[in-house]
Amino acid sequence: MVILNRVSKTFGKIKALDEVTFQVNEGELFGVIGPDGAGKTTLFRILATLLLPTEGHATIKKHDVVQDFGVLRKITGYMPGQFSLYPDLTVEENLEFYARVFRTRVEDNYSLIRDIFTYLEPFRKRRAGNLSGGMKQKLALSCALIHRPEILLLDEPTTGVDPVSRAEFWGLLHNLQKQGLTILVSTPYMDEAAHCNRIALLRQGRILGVNTPKGLQEEYSLHLWGLKGERPALLLPLLRQLPAEFRVYAAGQEVRVACRERNGIEKIKALLETSEKWDHIQISLVQPDVEDCFIALMQENNELQYK
Amino acid sequence: MKAFIIKEIRHLLRDPRSLLILIGMPVAQILIFGYAITTDLKETDIAIVRQTNDPLSQLIIQHLDASQWFRIKKIETNSSRLENDFRRGEIRMTVALPDNMEKRLMQSSPLEIQLIGDASDPNTANLLAQYAKGIIRTTVAQSFPSQYSGIQVTSRMLYNEEIRSVFMFVPGTIVILLMLLSAIMTSISLTREKESGSMEVLLVSPLRPYEIILGKVIPYIGLSFLNAAIILLLARFLFGMPFRGSMALLLAETVLFIALALSLGIFISTITLTQQMAMLLSMFALMLPTILLSGFIFPIENMPLWLQYLSNLMPPRWFVVIIRGIMIRGIGLEYLWKETLILAGMTLIFILLSIKKFKLRLE
């Protein structure tokens, strides 16, 4: 459905995308996950035919994003990361405007947005600028869907939205997927990876890996321990004293330590025994989540680049 | 495109404060221009210096005082006493009448009347002197028709007999306001779409560039036209400006000029990225040339040649000619076709340039 082949994009001296290659299958909910500045928006704008790739090719349904932009603009629904609706128009007026701009009517495609619109129904007459963040995103999604596209490109739809609305939003995306839409979505939140069929991890314009969330966790080749204690702020500098083969980083209230060898735990314990202060520290073997995978891949990638 | 126009009109109506400024500003401007900034002289204080009080000098003084331009503040016998009054700005001009004017005239000996003006404001001084000369000449001629044998020059100002400056300012104000409002409004409203990100969605929509551009232009033509109509009504009924020519032609030319200004605004927006940039560019690139080179304040004939050529490129220059021609001289299209064609051509060029420069992508 979507094929990216060594797509690069440079802005002056900055390389925003560096040989990005992956494929999205028809009917898939595909996530592009990466921190701010990873190149997600650039990638989505290239797919939305708004930017030209400096090198490489990208096609959607065999239509090239450079040459066939006219066709693609009809079959893609694009929701930019920035809130792109008119804040001084009401919910209804925004929807009506986009419907007519895309040469259709709200009623014709109402079935597709019915789900989403039930949330918005009470605010029909409210100006879009006065909606909450979650409602704004739902309205923007409705507007992107209004011409019944075959593929949806959603650039960071859940950024700046509260957790409840985020969960609702992912629910809506699952429903759309059931109706046959192919959905590409980007997010900086690693914990949202689980909602996607497959994910691509993006960092500094490079793809670190493409896999299912589960496959990614299974591929994780390190042993990972989580350390919990009363003063995690002090724990981190302590554990940083471990040799270079240990990877130490904070994750929420925990400090995580990853190591290739199984007996790495002995070294950690030895370090903790140096002082009574650390008696209360609890160590447990943990299952890696997407963030752990991201960090592991990131460091592998750095080492590769180093060599 | 209809949807686009409806959307634009909604934008305009949703922001009543901006709308009020857009409509109120022209009214304020025309009132300010019409009332405050006026070069018409009224009841300027002057002084008379005379030695003898013969009937002729009395008559001259009477006539000067009776005219709408002068008020006699002082009558002295020696001009040296008036120096301080000049300095303090209490009088603007002194008329020094020689003694025994009547006797000299009878003997046909040369008669010299001296006008001393305050030329710190040269335009005013010049005008005052002209007016005074005129009054004195007529008075002398009336009293001594036979003796006054010198060539008498009378000037008559056609179309604007009283040389009222409001006639000059109304066309000028219309031009400036239409130019600025139209260009600024469209350039800002287009760059706002770029800034807010809605342009991204408009670009991926099936809308063609010309639809986006025309959708932006049409609502603003309406608004600018309303502005022009208000200014014209005020000019007619408040300042008594004549409408000698065809009203329909005037309105049609106004629409043409608005379209030109709007297309200029759109052109500006295609080469700028932010609202501030668009605003600054519209102000600097349009305001000064409009005011300075349109011929509405400074006559184009007096400019150095290269500036005259440059002024040919300024759209307002042609519209000033048209609007003055229709309103004050009452001439029709048969005399103004050249200017009209120039404006139409410029509009076409800017619209085509904008459509061509309009980017289908973000880069």
Side-chain angles (χ1 to χ4, degrees):
Chain A
M1 182 81 177
V2 180
I3 300 169
L4 283 101
N5 188 13
R6 299 164 76 93
V7 171
S8 297
K9 177 75 191 172
T10 46
F11 296 106
K13 281 184 179 171
I14 299 158
K15 200 151 202 180
L17 288 179
D18 189 3
E19 302 205 339
V20 169
T21 302
F22 64 80
Q23 293 191 15
V24 180
N25 303 321
E26 184 142 11
E28 209 171 19
L29 176 53
F30 189 93
V32 176
I33 300 185
D36 292 344
K40 298 188 296 291
T41 298
T42 307
L43 181 64
F44 273 69
R45 281 181 174 166
I46 286 176
L47 289 175
T49 72
L50 286 171
L51 288 179
L52 299 170
T54 317
E55 275 167 66
H57 294 284
T59 58
I60 298 176
K61 286 202 106 184
K62 301 206 170 77
H63 301 293
D64 189 86
V65 293
V66 179
Q67 270 123 44
D68 312 324
F69 70 93
V71 189
L72 283 182
R73 284 178 182 187
K74 288 196 187 86
I75 60 165
T76 47
Y78 169 57
M79 179 176 157
Q82 212 180 357
F83 178 63
S84 59
L85 305 172
Y86 299 101
D88 52 341
L89 299 186
T90 65
V91 169
E92 238 173 9
E93 286 164 349
N94 266 299
L95 205 56
E96 191 198 11
F97 172 68
Y98 280 108
R100 297 193 51 182
V101 157
F102 281 94
R103 319 265 194 255
T104 173
R105 285 182 311 172
V106 180
E107 305 86 68
D108 292 349
N109 296 308
Y110 190 70
S111 60
L112 197 60
I113 59 167
R114 192 192 295 125
D115 264 12
I116 311 165
F117 211 69
T118 46
Y119 287 104
L120 289 164
E121 195 69 51
F123 310 112
R124 286 181 89 107
K125 302 272 177 209
R126 191 182 285 192
R127 292 190 187 183
N130 298 336
L131 291 174
S132 67
M135 285 298 160
K136 276 181 188 167
Q137 297 305 63
K138 286 184 189 104
L139 176 58
L141 180 63
S142 310
C143 291
L145 282 169
I146 199 73
H147 59 297
R148 206 175 263 281
E150 296 171 38
I151 175 160
L152 258 186
L153 302 170
L154 310 174
D155 188 15
E156 298 200 26
T158 54
T159 301
V161 176
D162 68 87
V164 178
S165 298
R166 274 164 59 185
E168 279 172 5
F169 197 85
W170 282 105
L172 292 170
L173 292 189
H174 286 299
N175 284 345
L176 289 171
Q177 193 193 1
K178 274 178 210 147
Q179 298 196 42
L181 258 86
T182 307
I183 304 171
L184 243 89
V185 59
S186 74
T187 173
Y189 304 118
M190 305 280 169
D191 56 332
E192 291 186 334
H195 294 290
C196 305
N197 299 130
R198 285 195 306 142
I199 50 174
L201 296 178
L202 190 68
R203 179 176 170 266
Q204 291 179 352
R206 299 167 74 97
I207 294 283
L208 298 179
V210 181
N211 210 328
T212 59
K214 220 174 161 197
L216 204 67
Q217 282 155 307
E218 280 163 7
E219 254 184 19
Y220 193 81
S221 58
L222 307 174
H223 300 280
L224 183 69
W225 295 277
L227 282 79
K228 268 187 224 166
E230 274 160 30
R231 281 178 290 183
L234 292 174
L235 201 53
L236 196 59
L238 173 83
L239 292 167
R240 288 257 155 90
Q241 295 168 15
L242 286 165
E245 66 259 32
F246 288 86
R247 279 148 203 178
V248 181
Y249 52 90
Q253 288 299 304
E254 278 188 355
V255 173
R256 291 201 169 168
V257 180
C259 172
R260 231 170 263 284
E261 276 92 49
R262 191 170 182 83
N263 58 10
I265 190 162
E266 305 304 328
K267 282 192 181 150
I268 301 173
K269 280 182 176 159
L271 186 70
L272 290 176
E273 276 159 14
T274 53
S275 163
E276 285 172 18
K277 283 196 290 200
W278 311 116
D279 282 352
H280 57 277
I281 301 288
Q282 300 161 9
I283 309 179
S284 53
L285 198 66
V286 292
Q287 283 300 311
D289 57 24
V290 174
E291 194 164 354
D292 296 313
C293 299
F294 184 86
I295 289 167
L297 286 170
M298 185 176 95
Q299 273 160 348
E300 259 171 49
N301 197 279
N302 283 353
E303 281 158 21
L304 270 174
Q305 268 184 314
Y306 222 62
K307 282 168 192 167
Chain B
M1 200 162 90
K2 208 173 125 203
F4 209 99
I5 296 170
I6 294 172
K7 180 202 86 146
E8 287 302 317
I9 293 172
R10 279 183 176 145
H11 281 320
L12 280 172
L13 297 179
R14 288 294 148 80
D15 191 359
R17 266 177 295 181
S18 302
L19 195 62
L20 198 71
I21 292 172
L22 288 178
I23 295 180
M25 198 172 86
V27 175
Q29 293 250 7
I30 189 82
L31 291 178
I32 291 168
F33 272 131
Y35 280 123
I37 307 178
T38 168
T39 51
D40 298 344
L41 298 163
K42 274 188 195 124
E43 301 288 314
T44 312
D45 287 327
I46 58 167
I48 306 287
V49 180
R50 61 154 189 209
Q51 268 82 40
T52 49
N53 191 7
D54 55 5
L56 181 60
S57 60
Q58 265 177 19
L59 207 59
I60 289 175
I61 292 167
Q62 259 178 34
H63 281 177
L64 283 174
D65 206 14
S67 81
Q68 53 167 313
W69 300 297
F70 303 112
R71 190 168 63 196
I72 310 285
K73 191 139 191 232
K74 273 187 177 166
I75 299 178
E76 294 281 349
T77 50
N78 194 331
S79 63
S80 60
R81 297 209 193 148
L82 292 166
E83 206 163 300
N84 267 332
D85 296 283
F86 259 124
R87 268 204 196 129
R88 284 196 297 268
E90 279 168 14
I91 55 169
R92 296 268 171 215
M93 192 175 68
T94 302
V95 181
L97 303 171
D99 51 353
N100 299 318
M101 292 207 336
E102 281 189 36
K103 218 166 105 192
R104 286 195 201 194
L105 273 170
M106 300 291 235
Q107 295 161 356
S108 294
S109 57
L111 182 68
E112 202 170 83
I113 296 172
Q114 194 185 23
L115 298 174
I116 306 162
D118 171 5
S120 55
D121 177 356
N123 286 337
T124 311
N126 221 340
L127 269 176
L128 286 176
Q130 294 293 339
Y131 289 140
K133 263 189 218 163
I135 291 170
I136 294 163
R137 270 198 197 126
T138 7
T139 316
V140 173
Q142 278 166 1
S143 315
F144 297 89
S146 52
Q147 273 77 12
Y148 193 78
S149 53
I151 302 162
Q152 202 167 349
V153 182
T154 52
S155 56
R156 186 174 159 228
M157 295 300 176
L158 279 178
Y159 311 119
N160 183 3
E161 311 245 347
E162 299 163 75
I163 321 185
R164 290 185 46 198
S165 56
V166 82
F167 286 18
M168 211 174 93
F169 279 117
V170 166
T173 317
I174 293 180
V175 171
I176 290 185
L177 284 174
L178 290 185
M179 193 79 194
L180 288 186
L181 278 183
S182 312
I184 291 177
M185 280 188 309
T186 40
S187 61
I188 284 186
S189 88
L190 257 176
T191 41
R192 191 195 295 136
E193 304 248 9
K194 285 191 198 175
E195 265 181 35
S196 73
S198 45
M199 193 52 109
E200 281 185 56
V201 182
L202 292 182
L203 283 178
V204 299
S205 78
L207 277 181
R208 302 273 166 89
Y210 81 88
E211 288 178 290
I212 298 181
I213 286 173
L214 286 184
K216 282 280 174 197
V217 168
I218 290 170
Y220 286 107
I221 286 189
L223 186 63
S224 300
F225 190 71
L226 185 70
N227 271 330
I230 293 175
I231 298 175
L232 289 175
L233 281 176
L234 283 177
R236 176 77 189 91
F237 292 107
L238 206 61
F239 299 113
M241 198 161 160
F243 273 76
R244 299 207 172 94
S246 148
M247 192 66 184
L249 180 63
L250 181 65
L251 294 182
E253 298 274 8
T254 308
V255 172
L256 177 62
F257 184 68
I258 290 170
L260 172 57
L262 291 172
S263 55
L264 203 58
I266 285 187
F267 179 68
I268 288 173
S269 72
T270 58
I271 52 175
T272 51
L273 287 175
T274 62
Q275 291 185 53
Q276 282 102 319
M277 232 161 98
M279 179 104 146
L280 279 177
L281 199 63
S282 322
M283 295 284 269
F284 284 113
L286 300 181
M287 178 100 110
L288 286 178
T290 306
I291 295 177
L292 301 178
L293 292 178
S294 65
F296 118 76
I297 292 182
F298 306 109
I300 290 167
E301 300 77 44
N302 297 356
M303 292 176 190
L305 207 58
W306 64 274
L307 266 186
Q308 290 193 27
Y309 285 128
L310 192 63
S311 81
N312 284 338
L313 296 176
M314 303 295 152
R317 174 199 195 286
W318 305 105
F319 189 56
V320 165
V321 174
I322 291 176
I323 202 169
R324 279 189 186 153
I326 298 176
M327 288 179 84
I328 302 171
R329 288 199 283 155
I331 54 179
L333 203 56
E334 63 272 23
Y335 294 104
L336 296 169
W337 61 270
K338 196 182 87 184
E339 285 81 3
T340 310
L341 265 185
I342 291 174
L343 286 188
M346 284 177 167
T347 313
L348 203 65
I349 288 172
F350 279 119
I351 288 190
L352 288 179
L353 266 181
S354 311
I355 292 178
K356 203 161 180 297
K357 283 226 77 171
F358 193 89
K359 291 180 193 118
L360 291 167
R361 295 190 170 85
L362 290 174
E363 56 178 354

